[in-house]
Amino acid sequence: MSFEYQTLCGAPVQNRGQAAARWLMPLGALVALLPWTPPWAALLGGAVLALTLGNPCASLSGRISKWLLQIAVVGLGAGVNLAVVARVGLQGLGYTLAGLGLTFAAGIALARGLGVPSRLSALLCAGTGICGGSAIAAVAPAIGAEPDETSSSLATVFLLNAVALLVFPALGTWLGLDPHAYGLWCALAIHDTSSVTGAALAHGRDALAVATTVKLARALWIVPVALILGWWFRRRSGLSRAGAPAVPWFIAGFLAVSALVTIVPGLDRPAGWVLAGARALLTLTLFLIGAGLSRQVVRAAGARAFAHGLLLWLLVGSATLAAIRLGFIH
């Protein structure tokens, strides 16, 4: 084992399991890049490796996965027409507002019943209703959330994302959803963009295109929701200042790439290469995200926070599915 690799991955190995994990991590990453590796298998493989042998490069893989995910989402813009993004955003304005309102209403009711603090509930509602960890990261400074509230909500969303990525493809097949309906359900019912695109990719390119477009259109609501929540909590607490919401740069990048492909003629072939690379990066990201799962992450979620997040997710997922099947959302 080279000194450079040990330096990147932390302290020297303590046992054979850690030594094996240091070889299996890069091997698993290479397998994840293969075009025939399904996203769910990459996530599951990373999680199994982390929970059995441990991830000796947890800090490094966590930093890499964050950047790879954002780069992959930007690259996915090469497969989406900007006019479609704009149309989806306008057409979905009504049910987006209704969905966010109902999500926060249900979240408040659950918080009262479970005894979950209001700021923690707001983070879980934002993560469930908009786009998972990105929404939580934007809302947390705006409402003055405590570090333990932020980590608890992020851990809860992370665990539910892993479940969704494994369960949704099987549910979509069992329910007989066509690619459009399945992609729409993924975008509206799964928290993070990584799990949305990973789950949708399992049902083909059409499902992926729908899921990516709808999810990114919904992600544009991060800033207004963070501003509104920040104003509300400042008003409740009497504070005059709070942190500004962080604007995810990958949304702007996705829109820029989509606009370039839409406006400039003759980019079909290079756009296809970019899209294929983005999908490979996404699968690699899911492996690294799975490798970030640990017993500490499970404990960090907390029983009440996890119960709140799980029940809210089940309510949103089932209501969204019913609305799609009944034709209320299309």
Side-chain angles (χ1 to χ4, degrees):
M1 187 75 59
S2 70
F3 173 77
E4 292 79 5
Y5 187 56
Q6 289 193 15
T7 302
L8 287 173
C9 290
V13 295
Q14 302 295 324
N15 52 55
R16 291 183 178 180
Q18 291 181 2
R22 288 195 171 180
W23 287 109
L24 290 174
M25 275 294 296
L27 179 61
L30 289 174
V31 173
L33 286 171
L34 297 175
W36 53 80
T37 301
W40 64 266
L43 178 77
L44 184 60
V48 169
L49 174 61
L51 291 173
T52 55
L53 300 178
N55 181 0
C57 310
S59 177
L60 177 64
S61 62
R63 293 195 303 269
I64 292 175
S65 65
K66 177 183 177 180
W67 285 102
L68 285 181
L69 170 61
Q70 295 172 346
I71 294 170
V73 170
V74 171
L76 291 175
V80 177
N81 188 292
L82 184 61
V84 176
V85 177
R87 186 169 67 249
V88 167
L90 291 175
Q91 288 179 346
L93 181 62
Y95 62 73
T96 296
L97 288 173
L100 289 175
L102 292 173
T103 298
F104 276 91
I108 291 172
L110 287 172
R112 290 174 178 172
L114 295 169
V116 174
S118 58
R119 284 185 172 83
L120 176 56
S121 175
L123 293 178
L124 290 168
C125 290
T128 304
I130 306 175
C131 61
S134 298
I136 291 172
V139 169
I143 66 175
E146 297 295 331
D148 62 323
E149 293 174 326
T150 303
S151 62
S152 181
S153 58
L154 286 171
T156 298
V157 165
F158 179 89
L159 293 172
L160 294 178
N161 273 321
V163 173
L165 188 58
L166 297 175
V167 169
F168 266 61
L171 282 177
T173 301
W174 181 62
L175 294 169
L177 296 177
D178 61 64
H180 182 276
Y182 175 74
L184 183 57
W185 187 39
C186 288
L188 299 179
I190 301 178
H191 301 79
D192 275 326
T193 304
S194 59
S195 291
V196 169
T197 50
L201 185 59
H203 277 231
R205 297 182 59 178
D206 292 340
L208 176 64
V210 172
T212 305
T213 304
V214 174
K215 192 62 176 180
L216 269 296
R218 173 157 290 207
L220 297 175
W221 285 85
I222 288 178
V223 174
V225 168
L227 291 173
I228 292 171
L229 288 175
W231 168 82
W232 173 252
F233 278 95
R234 287 196 303 271
R235 183 173 178 269
R236 286 184 56 190
S237 60
L239 298 176
S240 59
R241 299 179 62 187
V247 181
W249 66 269
F250 65 85
I251 297 177
F254 174 91
L255 294 174
V257 172
S258 177
L260 181 66
V261 174
T262 303
I263 296 171
V264 179
L267 292 181
D268 292 346
R269 179 172 293 182
W273 297 336
V274 172
L275 187 59
R279 290 172 181 161
L281 284 181
L282 177 61
T283 305
L284 172 59
T285 301
L286 293 174
F287 170 77
L288 296 176
I289 289 175
L293 185 62
S294 65
R295 296 179 180 89
Q296 290 78 12
V297 170
V298 175
R299 287 195 295 266
R304 291 185 179 182
F306 184 76
H308 182 291
L310 175 62
L311 291 173
L312 183 61
W313 179 52
L314 292 175
L315 287 171
V316 170
S318 57
T320 302
L321 177 61
I324 293 172
R325 298 294 292 263
L326 294 172
F328 296 144
I329 300 177
H330 54 81

